[in-house]
Structure formats: C-alpha cells, structure tokens
Amino acid sequence: MAVDIPADVQERCKGLGHGVGYALKVLCIQLEENPLLGTPLEGPSLYTAQIDGETFEDCPELNVRYAYGPPLLAAGQVQIRSVEGTRSLVGESDEDGEDGEDGEDGHEHAPDPRLEELGARQVARAWQGIESWLREHAPASYASLRAGASEDEIAAAEAALGVQVPAGLKALWRLRAGVHRVAGAGFLLENQALMTPDSVIAFHQQQMFSQQQGGNDEFTIWKPSWIPVCSFGVGDHTYGLYLDTETGQLCHWSRYAERWPEFESLTTYLEEMEDALATPSLVTGAKPGLVNGALMWGPPNWPDPEAPWVPFTG
C-alpha cells in the first residue's frame, strides 16, 4: 500500500525545512504499516499525526493531516492532505546570535518566516475554495463579504492590538476584511460570522479591560495574545473563536469566560469547512444547507416555515 502525497502538498513542504521531505517519508512508511496510527478527526476517514522535529535534522514540529480508506478514498488507500508546521526550527540563531530554543531573555524565537509563508498560502487557498462555493451556491452569503483590508489597515490593526498578527490571519484579511451586517453573513462553521478588523480591535480591547478589572493570575478572562476571528453574529459577540498566537490554535470563547481549543489552527478550521462543502454527505455533525440563498449549517433547532432550510447534497 503506497501513501499518496499530492504535488501541491510536496511543493508546500519545500519551504518548511530541508529535513521535512525525509521526515514525511518516514511517516509514510509508518502509515503503510499502520494507517490508523494518527488521531481521528471529526470528518470520516480523516486523521492527524505529529512529527517530532527534534527527531529529524532541519525539520520543525509538524501536524500532518491525512485521509485513509472509504468514504474519501478507495479501500486501503492513504493520502496526505496537508502538512503544517507548529513551531520554529530548534537551534537556529536569534537576532543576538545565540543558538537554542530561547534567546538571552528567555523568550522563544520569532515565528519562522517559512512557516508563516506556508500558513498564509494554506489559509488563502482554503478560503478561496470556500468563496468559490459561496459564489456558486449561496449568493446571499457571498454578497455579505467585505472587500479585503489594505496593508495600512492591517498594520493599524496590529498596532492597536499590540501583538503580531499571524501571517495566516493577515492573508485572510487581505482577501476579506469581515462581512457586512446582512442576512446570510453567518456562514462559517456553527453559523458564525467573520469579524472585521475594527470589531476585532474593539472586542479585544474590551476583553483586556475586563481582564484588568476582574482577572488575575488564577482567573484569566483574556490574554493580549488572543485575537478574535469570528463570532456568533456580526454584532453579537456572545461567543466565538479566537486565535491564540502563542500556540496557533483556534479556541472557543463565551461571555461566561469559557475557553478551550477547538481547532489545531486557522488553516485546519478553513480546510475542514472546505471539505464539508465539497463532500456534504460525509459530514457527521452539522451539515451545509441553504436558506434563501444563504449558507446555513443545520438542520436548525428552530426551523422557520417561511424560510425552510434545504440541505445541500452536492
């Protein structure tokens, strides 16, 4: 049984480190022997496996997303779907010329530009796939999209947040700076809405103020490194997802100070949504459907007889 690595995945791996190709070959041999060694994801036939960067020279820690067998593939087939770096290479020199994982001040290295570039490309590719689907099948949701943010607008948002915005989120903002407050805008998974940079800044500052007023070392309301990405509604921030810039994870928040990781990364989140739209019959949770030309994940708990939800079957 051979493990398939698509050409686009091989190309993206080139920017991660010279040792990535070899590390991936080793993983493929392991998958040939045991295709179930990874951790199952929510979607059927989808798994994720980790590669320890310290085991291989010139290779960062990696998350490898792959598919195995039916219904996505034929019986016995394995295909690598994405390879994503999770941290910088260990042992590279920092700006002060010091080697190792930490600099003289004990802080971790700045993000590896190669990983940042790869993440940006992966986010852009997945979002463009989602947007193409909206254009064809959900015109009301497509019409809710705002234009992309300019470099000046992104720089201003980064300055206002006081934290470096990851390249993946910047890539998304360059394509679309959130959505308008119109019907059909909440088309992301769990029917959430992509926040505008302005709303991101306002909510982040509000939460940081709450942290200063009521938070402490034992009770964290918000951290500077948490950047909100999408919310329950365009103007409703009861709950949503934020990007933890320290871990790269996309995490849940609620107004009751509930916080937990939901996705390995922004890339994983968008790729899972893109996969669900491409093969809705394989989705085990909420499925994509249409209401008056808008994408809605359902079936809804409270159906509206005047605006029926119609599942999308492809």
Side-chain angles (χ1 to χ4, degrees), residues 8-21 58-60 62 83 85 89 92 112-119 121:
D8 63 321
V9 174
Q10 294 183 43
E11 184 64 26
R12 290 199 294 270
C13 287
K14 292 179 180 178
L16 288 173
H18 296 298
V20 171
D58 195 19
C59 179
L62 301 170
V83 179
L89 294 173
E92 292 184 346
D112 189 325
R114 294 171 297 181
L115 301 185
E116 289 278 284
E117 182 182 354
L118 176 65
R121 292 202 304 267

Side-chain angles (χ1 to χ4, degrees), residues 67-105:
Y68 168 59
L72 292 180
L73 303 173
Q77 289 188 343
V78 177
Q79 183 184 66
I80 304 298
R81 291 297 182 92
S82 67
V83 179
E84 186 175 348
T86 62
R87 59 184 295 179
S88 302
L89 294 173
V90 175
E92 292 184 346
S93 297
D94 61 19
E95 295 179 356
D96 296 324
E98 297 291 329
D99 290 337
E101 195 167 328
D102 298 327
E104 290 182 352
D105 58 359

Side-chain angles (χ1 to χ4, degrees), residues 16-187:
L16 288 173
H18 296 298
V20 171
Y22 176 72
L24 197 57
K25 283 184 179 180
V26 172
L27 176 63
C28 288
I29 293 173
Q30 296 173 332
L31 290 175
E32 289 176 3
E33 298 176 351
N34 178 19
L36 298 178
L37 67 82
T39 302
L41 297 173
E42 182 177 349
S45 300
L46 292 175
Y47 301 81
T48 183
Q50 282 71 47
I51 292 178
D52 183 358
E54 295 185 1
T55 305
F56 303 95
E57 183 178 357
D58 195 19
C59 179
E61 292 184 3
L62 301 170
N63 281 334
V64 180
R65 190 162 167 262
Y66 70 93
Y68 168 59
L72 292 180
L73 303 173
Q77 289 188 343
V78 177
Q79 183 184 66
I80 304 298
R81 291 297 182 92
S82 67
V83 179
E84 186 175 348
T86 62
R87 59 184 295 179
S88 302
L89 294 173
V90 175
E92 292 184 346
S93 297
D94 61 19
E95 295 179 356
D96 296 324
E98 297 291 329
D99 290 337
E101 195 167 328
D102 298 327
E104 290 182 352
D105 58 359
H107 294 295
E108 293 185 355
H109 286 303
D112 189 325
R114 294 171 297 181
L115 301 185
E116 289 278 284
E117 182 182 354
L118 176 65
R121 292 202 304 267
Q122 290 175 322
V123 165
R125 186 208 59 78
W127 180 263
Q128 287 164 347
I130 292 168
E131 192 167 311
S132 295
W133 189 97
L134 295 176
R135 185 187 302 111
E136 181 177 357
H137 302 289
S141 293
Y142 181 75
S144 73
L145 295 170
R146 290 178 175 267
S150 68
E151 294 302 321
D152 287 344
E153 290 171 330
I154 292 174
E158 195 167 45
L161 292 169
V163 63
Q164 183 174 351
V165 177
L169 183 54
K170 287 182 180 179
L172 178 55
W173 284 351
R174 288 187 186 103
L175 293 170
R176 297 292 181 180
V179 292
H180 297 285
R181 189 177 297 196
V182 297
F187 58 78

Side-chain angles (χ1 to χ4, degrees), residues 266-283:
L266 178 60
T267 299
T268 302
Y269 173 75
L270 294 177
E271 287 182 341
E272 288 195 16
M273 179 175 172
E274 184 187 21
D275 287 345
L277 294 174
T279 54
S281 61
L282 304 181
V283 178

